[in-house]
Amino acid sequence: MRYAGLVICRQRPSTAANVTFMTLEDETGFVNLVLWDRVFQSFSVLARMAHWLGVTGTIDAQQGVVHVIAQRLWIPRGVPAPEPLESRDFH
């Protein structure tokens, strides 16, 4: 699946074994992302800096929690980027 939205939150807790969690938002709601370390390292500049982000990945649902396992990050093209907002990042 492909999705694009504003980055509203990044979290990389020390207890998560180098997993980064991100939340994106569009006009329909929120999408929670899981970035395994290899994906984070491959797309580290986008993962750390982008305000407007696209993701390609697979949907995972376990125990009522739905999120996207990111496989690739990209900057959406052909759609005007919204005004940059500061994400609430927690490390």
Side-chain angles (χ1 to χ4, degrees):
M1 63 98 18
R2 292 170 49 98
Y3 177 84
L6 292 170
V7 178
I8 61 168
C9 181
R10 293 178 178 90
Q11 296 181 47
R12 193 171 176 129
S14 60
T15 58
N18 292 325
V19 176
T20 301
F21 302 97
M22 297 175 76
T23 302
L24 304 185
E25 180 182 19
D26 71 0
E27 66 277 3
T28 64
F30 301 100
V31 171
N32 295 310
L33 307 180
V34 175
L35 282 76
W36 298 113
D37 192 48
R38 66 178 169 70
V39 175
F40 182 88
Q41 296 304 326
S42 294
F43 301 97
S44 64
V45 172
L46 291 176
R48 289 183 290 110
M49 305 295 288
H51 297 285
W52 173 233
L53 186 64
V55 60
T56 302
T58 57
I59 297 174
D60 185 56
Q62 294 183 19
Q63 301 176 359
V65 177
V66 178
H67 49 267
V68 174
I69 306 295
Q71 298 168 336
R72 183 173 163 262
L73 302 178
W74 39 273
I75 297 295
R77 306 264 187 243
V79 178
E83 291 294 318
L85 300 172
E86 291 297 319
S87 62
R88 295 181 301 273
D89 300 339
F90 304 95
H91 303 280

